[in-house]
Amino acid sequence: MTLTQLSAFVLVARLGSVKAAADALSVSEPAVSQAIAALRKYLGDPLLTRGGTGMVMTAGGNRLLTIAAQMVALGAEAEAAVRSANGAPEPLRLIGSNTVVEFAGGPLADAFGARSSGTVDVSVGVAVTSEMAALVSQRLADAALGPDLSGQRGIPLVSEPVFRSRMVVLGAPGARFRGSPRQWPWLVDADATDPGSDVARLLRGLGVPESRMRVFPHQTAAWDAAAGGAGVTPSLAHLAVHRTRRRELVPLDVPGTPMEVVWFVTMLPIDRRSAGAGSLRNFLSTPEAMRLLREPGAGVSPSRFRPPVYVTIWN
């Protein structure tokens, strides 16, 4: 029985499928399946079976989950302790939604890294809402910036609000679209494919079908297409302020907008979070961090979160 196998089991149990666990870990589905199979053989229990809505735990799997989660977290703490004893920088992994990482992740990481004077090595990556709680609870990530993740059954996490904004719908000046908003061409970034995102919540409320959405790799590309008259795009007002001031894009009158959006930072409870995570939480309360969140500047194409632990074991 290895930490790799236990980690795979916990993520499959938390996320509900082998595919979701493989996506969260940025590995192949066979790699996760092999780890689960080895654990089943060692313990002599199926642990997980397929149900109508995903994977269902056996009685043995239910008992294992709490213990396995603790063991995986302790493994991450052990690795961090050895790195610290050897004088290596403490790794701090920040995850967030596509939009959060595109505009705020890099500036926050750079500013916090500069404050730490090389004692913390910060990395930033995109994760979907359904993955965030599992990644933070298993210490594969140290903090999540985005939706409120507290209150999930069996996962002790603390989510605190750090920033408020408003979501609007933007289009080119003078652009006209036929029918109701649900029939308009919608230009969206990858957040729209995440059911737990604020963009998805807005689109569901408007009844926009997937056939009316065109997905771009990032928000900046969606803005460019909307400015050219190709459709409308949902956006946080403060991120697009330079575009609206130049009248490249204008807010449109759409039911349910402006929609209030709150960014939360989610971490383990204070007594379980790493020193670096605690320092990051303090930093997010500073005027410097608030300025970066309000005025993040030009967006940078976000990349998928890649946990540095366990992946090389499977490969």
Side-chain angles (χ1 to χ4, degrees):
M1 182 167 57
T2 68
L3 288 176
T4 298
Q5 296 161 6
L6 293 172
S7 179
F9 166 74
V10 170
L11 287 177
V12 172
R14 299 285 197 211
L15 300 177
S17 73
V18 169
K19 182 181 185 304
D23 288 345
L25 289 169
S26 297
V27 300
S28 68
E29 290 183 48
V32 175
S33 296
Q34 289 167 14
I36 297 294
L39 190 60
R40 284 169 168 159
K41 182 178 180 180
Y42 181 82
L43 294 174
D45 189 293
L47 302 177
L48 296 154
T49 59
R50 293 191 182 277
T53 58
M55 303 299 287
V56 178
M57 284 185 289
T58 64
N62 268 310
R63 294 194 178 190
L64 174 64
L65 180 58
T66 300
I67 301 170
Q70 294 173 348
M71 293 173 70
V72 173
L74 285 171
E77 291 180 21
E79 180 193 14
V82 173
R83 286 176 59 88
S84 176
N86 291 328
E90 178 184 351
L92 190 139
R93 298 173 285 272
L94 175 64
I95 55 177
S97 67
N98 204 74
T99 300
V100 167
V101 173
E102 179 180 353
F103 291 96
L108 287 173
D110 291 343
F112 179 67
R115 280 195 167 207
S116 73
S117 301
T119 60
V120 179
D121 181 20
V122 187
S123 61
V124 184
V126 172
V128 299
T129 303
S130 60
E131 299 170 348
M132 291 181 184
L135 291 171
V136 175
S137 68
Q138 296 312 121
R139 298 197 63 168
L140 294 173
D142 299 283
L145 190 57
D148 183 357
L149 303 176
S150 62
Q152 297 198 31
R153 188 176 63 180
I155 305 181
L157 295 174
V158 178
S159 289
E160 299 175 289
V162 293
F163 188 74
R164 297 180 183 274
S165 185
R166 296 179 306 155
M167 184 168 292
V168 296
V169 177
L170 304 175
R176 295 290 182 269
F177 303 99
R178 294 181 179 179
S180 66
R182 71 184 304 275
Q183 298 170 303
W184 295 351
W186 287 82
L187 315 173
V188 298
D189 70 359
D191 276 353
T193 63
D194 175 3
S197 71
D198 294 307
V199 171
R201 178 161 58 97
L202 173 65
L203 296 175
R204 280 197 303 272
L206 294 171
V208 178
E210 289 186 14
S211 60
R212 304 304 298 167
M213 301 179 202
R214 181 180 170 193
V215 182
F216 290 81
H218 46 76
Q219 179 71 79
T220 304
W223 285 341
D224 290 341
V232 301
T233 184
S235 173
L236 293 180
H238 77 286
L239 297 180
V241 66
H242 299 302
R243 302 279 184 133
T244 55
R245 284 175 180 170
R246 294 195 298 261
R247 296 284 296 174
E248 296 173 5
L249 295 167
V250 296
L252 304 178
D253 185 12
V254 175
T257 64
M259 183 180 82
E260 182 176 284
V261 171
V262 181
W263 285 352
F264 291 80
V265 61
T266 299
M267 298 180 175
L268 291 169
I270 293 177
D271 61 339
R272 292 183 54 200
R273 69 183 59 157
S274 66
S279 296
L280 175 65
R281 178 64 191 94
N282 293 334
F283 171 69
L284 290 174
S285 301
T286 65
E288 181 182 8
M290 289 299 101
R291 178 182 60 79
L292 293 173
L293 290 171
R294 284 195 307 269
E295 305 172 4
V300 176
S301 297
S303 58
R304 189 78 167 82
F305 173 67
R306 291 188 61 85
V309 185
Y310 310 121
V311 175
T312 54
I313 298 177
W314 280 326
N315 291 343

